Amino acid sequence: MKFFVDTAEIDAIAELNDLGMVDGVTTNPSLIKKSGRDIIEVTKEICAMVTGPVSAEVTATDAETMIAEGRKLVEIAENIAVKVPLTWDGLKACKVLSDDGHMVNVTLCFSANQALIAAKAGATFISPFIGRLDDINLDGMELINDIRQIYDNYGFDTEILAASIRSANHILDSALIGADVITAPPAVIKSLANHPLTDKGLATFLDDIKAADIKIL
Ligand code: E4P
C-alpha cells in the first residue's frame, strides 16, 4: 500500500520523507490556505522533495479553464497529478488531461457510481472521502469496499486513493480492503506507531535499566 501525505506543510512532509514513508503528497485549496503559501511556489518545493505523485487541485469549475489550469500545473514538475472535482466538467477535464498523458486525481468522490464514471474518464486516481461520509453517519469504508469490487470486476487501472482519513483505523481498514493508496495527515500516519502496551513495556524496561545500571555505551 502506498502512503501519500495529505498536507502542504513542508517540514511535516520532510520528516516522513526522511523515513522513506512518503510515496506521494496530496494538497487541496484548504491545505494550501492553511500553509499560507503561494500554490505554485509551495507545490514546486514539494515536488522537488518527493519523487512520487504530488496532487495539485484546480480552482476553476468549467472544463475549459480546468484544462488550462491543469496544463499550467503540470509545468511545475513531472510528478504533478492534476486534481479535479468529480463533476461533469471535472470528468471532461480528466479525459483531456489524461489523454495528454498527465496524471489526474479525481477528488470529492462520495459514491461508487462516481468512482465508476471517473475510471471511464481515465482517472489515474479516484479519491473517495471516508471521513466526510462518516461525519454524516454514512459508511466511508463501505464505499472503499464497493469501489474495490467494481474496479476488480472490470480490471480498471484507476488507483483507489482513500482520502479524508481521520484515524489509524481508517488506514487499517483501507489496507484490509485493498485500497491502492491512502492519503492522511502527518499526525495520523505517525499514530500508526502507537500502542499503549509498547509504552507500558518500555516504562518497565527503563525502570529495570535504571535499577540494574545497564549500560551499552
Ligand atoms: C485529499 O486528497 C483530500 O483533499 C483530503 O483527504 C480531505 O480530507 P478532509 O475531509 O479531512 O478535509
Side-chain angles (χ1 to χ4, degrees):
M1 166 181 265
K2 286 179 271 191
F3 276 18
F4 288 2
V5 193
D6 199 23
T7 186
E9 305 297 332
I10 295 292
D11 291 349
I13 297 167
E15 185 188 9
L16 290 167
N17 200 33
D18 287 348
L19 287 175
M21 290 192 186
V22 178
D23 299 304
V25 174
T26 51
T27 65
N28 63 35
S30 305
L31 295 171
I32 296 291
K33 178 179 172 240
K34 194 173 165 197
S35 77
R37 303 274 312 272
D38 171 75
I39 182 172
I40 304 293
E41 278 175 22
V42 73
T43 306
K44 196 171 189 174
E45 215 172 306
I46 296 168
C47 286
M49 283 170 66
V50 305
T51 50
V54 175
S55 290
E57 189 158 343
V58 298
T59 65
T61 54
D62 67 286
E64 196 184 335
T65 317
M66 279 192 230
I67 293 163
E69 288 183 338
R71 287 181 173 147
K72 179 168 179 185
L73 289 170
V74 298
E75 282 173 9
I76 295 173
E78 277 185 1
N79 52 337
I80 284 285
V82 180
K83 210 175 183 192
V84 299
L86 212 160
T87 58
W88 194 245
D89 277 70
L91 294 173
K92 286 183 189 171
C94 173
K95 175 77 176 126
V96 170
L97 292 166
S98 62
D99 280 354
D100 282 353
H102 304 304
M103 290 186 285
V104 181
N105 176 357
V106 180
T107 189
L108 291 168
C109 171
F110 294 95
S111 80
N113 275 335
Q114 287 183 312
L116 174 58
I117 203 164
K120 298 287 286 180
T124 315
F125 301 103
I126 183 70
S127 289
F129 277 32
I130 299 168
R132 293 192 197 186
L133 282 168
D134 289 357
D135 287 347
I136 58 163
N137 298 318
L138 293 174
D139 189 345
M141 215 46 73
E142 190 181 319
L143 175 59
I144 304 295
N145 202 39
D146 288 350
I147 299 171
R148 180 74 283 155
Q149 188 179 331
I150 290 167
Y151 283 7
D152 288 351
N153 282 348
Y154 299 101
F156 285 115
D157 292 333
T158 302
E159 294 190 37
I160 302 174
L161 201 177
S164 188
I165 280 183
R166 307 275 169 78
S167 68
N169 278 350
H170 279 159
I171 297 180
L172 175 62
D173 290 340
S174 297
L176 288 169
I177 289 168
D180 302 285
V181 194
I182 57 92
T183 188
V188 176
I189 292 177
K190 287 171 80 174
S191 79
L192 296 184
N194 298 343
H195 198 288
L197 289 180
T198 303
D199 297 339
K200 192 176 172 211
L202 184 58
T204 306
F205 289 156
L206 289 173
D207 285 346
D208 292 342
I209 286 165
K210 200 172 173 189
D213 195 25
I214 300 169
K215 288 197 175 80
I216 296 172
L217 296 176

